[in-house]
Amino acid sequence: MIELLETLKSNAGVGIAALGALIAAAQWHTNRTRLQLDTYERRLRVYKAAVALLEEAVSEITDRRSRLRRFHREPELATSREPPATVLDSFKEGLLEAPFLFGEDVTYFLTRIESTRGLVRMYALGMADAVGTSARSRNATHVQALIECEESLKDARSRAWVEFESYLRLNRF
């Protein structure tokens, strides 16, 4: 019995060290999983913000085009509305976080959305402010650019999932 106690005493340090190593490995795994989930949630938030902005932009384009058709393309009806502040703020926040959460591909995609949205707004507001025959002839040159920008935003809406998919796949941890 005394020999058994001596053996247990001599091996207690090894057992405690092994138990400590197991606990450290479990904590490492838990922290790694938590980091992956936190990163996933942040990426998902950026994706949702991008999709919300694209939905607003496509809705605004559709609305503006239907008004132009209804009212025979009068320039004063070519106005562009800004998306709700919450949608725009959320997207801009995501745009700032994108380089840290995604690769260059998604960051570039988001930057293109922002610049194209700005061009659509610029062309639409420019057409609305145009007055007189020289302004209308100038508008004719801007109409094609506006249509291309609008189509680019519609295409971006359909491609959004493809761009984000590899970053939003839930892999086994």
Side-chain angles (χ1 to χ4, degrees):
M1 181 67 153
I2 293 176
E3 290 177 15
L4 180 62
L5 286 174
E6 289 300 321
T7 305
L8 286 175
K9 280 184 193 176
S10 63
N11 291 327
V14 174
I16 290 172
L19 185 60
L22 285 173
I23 291 171
Q27 286 177 335
W28 173 82
H29 178 71
T30 301
N31 289 336
R32 182 173 167 260
T33 303
R34 183 179 299 135
L35 176 64
Q36 287 176 333
L37 287 173
D38 288 346
T39 303
Y40 176 82
E41 287 174 9
R42 291 177 71 192
R43 287 175 175 171
L44 184 62
R45 189 175 59 233
V46 173
Y47 170 73
K48 286 179 178 181
V51 169
L53 183 74
L54 287 168
E55 289 293 337
E56 284 291 328
V58 169
S59 169
E60 185 270 328
I61 289 166
T62 305
D63 183 47
R64 183 169 19 84
R65 283 185 178 180
S66 70
R67 281 187 288 133
L68 289 174
R69 273 192 292 273
R70 239 182 298 144
F71 295 104
H72 309 293
R73 298 192 182 278
E74 295 175 20
E76 62 271 13
L77 296 171
T79 58
S80 176
R81 70 176 189 263
E82 210 34 42
T86 55
V87 172
L88 198 53
D89 290 345
S90 179
F91 178 78
K92 287 184 178 184
E93 236 178 73
L95 189 57
L96 288 174
E97 289 182 2
F100 304 103
L101 297 172
F102 303 100
E104 290 179 12
D105 53 342
V106 172
T107 304
Y108 177 75
F109 178 72
L110 294 173
T111 305
R112 290 291 300 155
I113 290 170
E114 178 63 13
S115 64
T116 304
R117 191 188 68 78
L119 287 173
V120 166
R121 184 159 170 73
M122 179 189 73
Y123 287 131
L125 290 174
M127 289 172 59
D129 291 340
V131 180
T133 54
S134 66
R136 287 186 185 178
S137 65
R138 187 175 34 127
N139 275 350
T141 60
H142 292 300
V143 167
Q144 186 60 36
L146 175 62
I147 290 171
E148 287 174 10
C149 289
E150 290 174 343
E151 293 305 318
S152 175
L153 283 177
K154 287 181 175 182
D155 180 54
R157 173 58 190 103
S158 63
R159 280 191 5 246
W161 175 248
V162 174
E163 295 291 335
F164 282 87
E165 181 182 18
S166 64
Y167 297 98
L168 293 175
R169 250 188 255 129
L170 276 177
N171 298 327
R172 294 190 86 208
F173 299 125

